[in-house]
Amino acid sequence: MTDSPELVESALGLQGSPTRKPRSRQLAVIDRDEVAKRICQGALLFIYNDLVINASSWTRSHPGGELAILHFVGRDATNEVLAYHSSEALRRVERYAIARVVVDPQRGWTPLTPPIALGLVRHEDGQRGHWRREGRLRLAAAESSQNSDSSSNGRKDLAVLSLQPEQLEPSDSSLDQQKQHLYALAYRDLKSKLEAAGLFDKPGPLYGYGSDIIRYAALGALAIFFYLKTTGWSGQMASALFLGLMWHQLTFLAHDAGHTGITGNWTKDRAIGIAVANCIGGLSIGWWCDNHNIHHLVPNELEHDPDIQHIPFFAISKQFFGDLWSSYYKRIMAFDAASKTLISIQHRLYYIVLSLARVNLYVLSYSYLLGPKPRRNLMWATEMMGVAMFWTYFGSMIRHLPSWQMRLAYILVSHVAASPVHVQIVLSHFACSTEALGPVESFPARQLRTTMDVVCSPNIEFIHGGLHLQVTHHLFPRMPRHNLRQASSMVKEYCKDQELVYQEHGWIDGNKKVLNVLEDVANQLQFLKEVADNEIEEKLR
Ligand code: HEM
């Protein structure tokens, strides 16, 4: 089922927008220099096929979030747009075209660097061509810009900067642009083949969510049964365990809803997401989507992907030792004394920290809901009510337990039981490349380089909730979870034809790889510390 045109328009807040034009009009052809010039003047333009799409006036209302668009300004976003949108939304994209470009059939569109990747955002004064530096990124720091200022990253710098087209030129890429273009074209063929094979259609209850729903209900019923029918420690801990296991399983359902992978309708899936994530799980589906969409679009980019930004607990690259700026959290990830201590033993703390990672999800969810990002609309109010509902039922369950020790144990057991999902999420990316290969890299090559599968038998894949087939999921995020296994064999063929690596490891092997990365970074930190200590000793001698 697709969204209605009205819904899409209203989701974007675009009814009556001056940028909305009839499809039949003739569009002028402009060149790359002109696109760069207009971006410098403040227009948020990206390329879709050979169309120049103008997103300037509605990025804040975009259902996929503002940052999603900002990361693709000046770039060819055709594959990303194809991957993330319903057919109805795709039909609408062309309405926001303002011009055409001539795309080189061999090499595709030569990308420009999005201003956000230079640490620049449009200035609050709303003047055309006014930019401000929101943070110093490594890419921008390396450039000698005529506007370069020495402002600190931490505070908001309101100085007005201008941007010149030559600053949008990406630095030399080690990648072969022609090859990247071929990967991108072959990806579109692959998507058509998967569509023809019916793999984007919802599977019936027998192959789809039928057995999952029975499992969720059984876990919930067992949690309630033990809670109501027992009074001792073992019964109550059994209740906490089943509750945690139900949350664990429901996280996968919320994940599918956030990707519009259950009904295919954005509003219906968001409603399911609120029921599951907010009401039953106490989290925010809005926060999750905002965060997760960016993770999907810029996976493993140190300064941009929130899913690998876990300072002070984890660092998967030594680049984090340098106080990096997070374009998602809009703050410096300060590598302070706490980070130095925790990261030097991160491989030992790994499972302990992850066992309580759900607490971090509450913090992130509520900071998002109460922060400036979400619009205060009906969706937001429903999310808030959902969270209130969660604390009412869970709070009341905890309050009625006989002792504080049992209350604490119930909270711990239920939260730890829900934690394997965090190991699963981290496993898919932590051991993969974090190299920044720039905007020339195609969508499929980026996803394949930064993502890996966990090999497991179909009989136990419900434990992984579909997330073990992460490679295919990252290439086709809207594909229903239950079709991923079948699709992954076609993805493997695509990789073979294109000579791209499809990364997959067993559960134990994958965990070992993650621990090795963490230990390696911890050792590098230790080494730097020893060098610094030696230098101090030398000086004191
Ligand atoms: C004119 C251009 C665009 C329009 C009209 C548009 C519209 C929409 C709509 C209506 C949705 C809700 C899901 C759906 O109904 O399919 C959506 C979601 C999304 N969009 Fe866009 N979008 C545009 C451009 C982009 C671009 C350039 C990107 C990133 C490269 C992007 C990334 C996303 C993401 C990640 C989602 C979330 C997917 C989900 O919730 O399942 N969009 N967009």
Side-chain angles (χ1 to χ4, degrees), residues 3 8 12 58 62 64 72 85-86 96 259-260 266 293 478:
D3 299 328
V8 176
L12 287 169
W58 50 264
H62 175 232
F72 286 86
H85 297 90
S86 58
Y96 308 108
H259 279 296
T260 328
W266 192 83
N293 288 336
R478 292 178 66 94

Side-chain angles (χ1 to χ4, degrees), residues 445-472:
R446 189 167 57 251
Q447 303 299 336
L448 286 158
R449 178 173 61 83
T450 56
T451 311
M452 64 170 235
D453 270 9
V454 176
V455 184
C456 87
S457 144
N459 300 329
I460 55 156
E461 65 185 6
F462 70 90
I463 300 175
H464 300 274
L467 297 188
H468 57 300
L469 294 162
Q470 194 72 193
V471 172
T472 305

Side-chain angles (χ1 to χ4, degrees), residues 31-32 85 99 140 173 259 262 291 304 402 415:
D31 64 11
R32 186 169 173 274
H85 297 90
S173 171
H259 279 296
I262 299 179
N291 181 294
H304 305 298
H415 282 66

Side-chain angles (χ1 to χ4, degrees), residues 35-44 56 115 120-133 146-147 158-165 167-168:
V35 174
K37 210 169 92 195
R38 293 191 192 185
I39 291 174
C40 290
Q41 285 164 359
L44 302 178
S56 307
L120 298 177
V121 289
R122 289 195 295 182
H123 203 283
E124 284 85 345
D125 70 6
Q127 298 287 310
R128 274 165 66 93
H130 281 192
W131 296 85
R132 79 171 166 81
R133 187 173 294 293
Q146 64 173 76
N147 291 313
L158 290 174
V160 172
L161 305 177
S162 61
L163 186 55
Q164 304 305 320
Q167 289 174 266
L168 299 183

Side-chain angles (χ1 to χ4, degrees), residues 235-257:
Q236 289 308 314
M237 291 310 106
S239 165
L241 177 71
F242 287 122
L243 184 63
L245 291 177
M246 183 188 72
W247 287 343
H248 172 265
Q249 286 288 301
L250 286 178
T251 316
F252 301 124
L253 186 65
H255 172 264
D256 299 348

Side-chain angles (χ1 to χ4, degrees), residues 414-467:
S414 57
H415 282 66
V416 172
S419 69
V421 66
H422 305 294
V423 180
Q424 174 76 62
I425 290 168
V426 163
L427 183 57
S428 318
H429 301 284
F430 263 31
C432 298
S433 160
T434 54
E435 226 181 318
L437 295 184
V440 170
E441 190 176 26
S442 63
F443 171 72
R446 189 167 57 251
Q447 303 299 336
L448 286 158
R449 178 173 61 83
T450 56
T451 311
M452 64 170 235
D453 270 9
V454 176
V455 184
C456 87
S457 144
N459 300 329
I460 55 156
E461 65 185 6
F462 70 90
I463 300 175
H464 300 274
L467 297 188

